[in-house]
Amino acid sequence: MEKLTTLDYSPVLKTLLVNYILRKYEEESITDDWHLYQEYSWLFDNNKLHALFEEEALTNELNDGDDRE
């Protein structure tokens, strides 16, 4: 897999990163494009991109639980 050089053409990836960052860093969250790319780069370089999909699964599970009540 090749590393992206920009997130400009990856709106789904940007959304995943925003959700991940908001949960992980809470009050210290910064979600501008530069910080999103820095987080993506760190996850990519450390072979941790799976964390984005785990976050998506958790978010979907939490949202589905709200619909069932």
Side-chain angles (χ1 to χ4, degrees):
M1 183 168 153
E2 200 169 319
K3 186 175 181 180
L4 298 175
T5 57
T6 181
L7 300 176
D8 291 342
Y9 307 107
S10 305
V12 174
L13 178 57
K14 283 177 88 168
T15 300
L16 290 172
L17 283 163
V18 167
N19 292 339
Y20 174 78
I21 288 171
L22 288 173
R23 187 191 56 77
K24 183 175 180 184
Y25 299 110
E26 296 177 353
E27 296 88 28
E28 292 84 27
S29 297
I30 303 172
T31 57
D32 60 40
D33 285 347
W34 188 84
H35 284 90
L36 291 176
Y37 187 77
Q38 293 303 310
E39 191 71 24
Y40 162 76
S41 293
W42 188 91
L43 291 167
F44 184 92
D45 293 344
N46 291 286
N47 200 27
K48 304 263 186 208
L49 284 175
H50 62 87
L52 296 177
F53 301 104
E54 291 169 0
E55 177 66 28
E56 180 183 29
L58 174 64
T59 302
N60 288 340
E61 186 176 314
L62 291 172
N63 289 339
D64 285 347
D66 290 344
D67 292 341
R68 292 182 189 156
E69 295 178 336

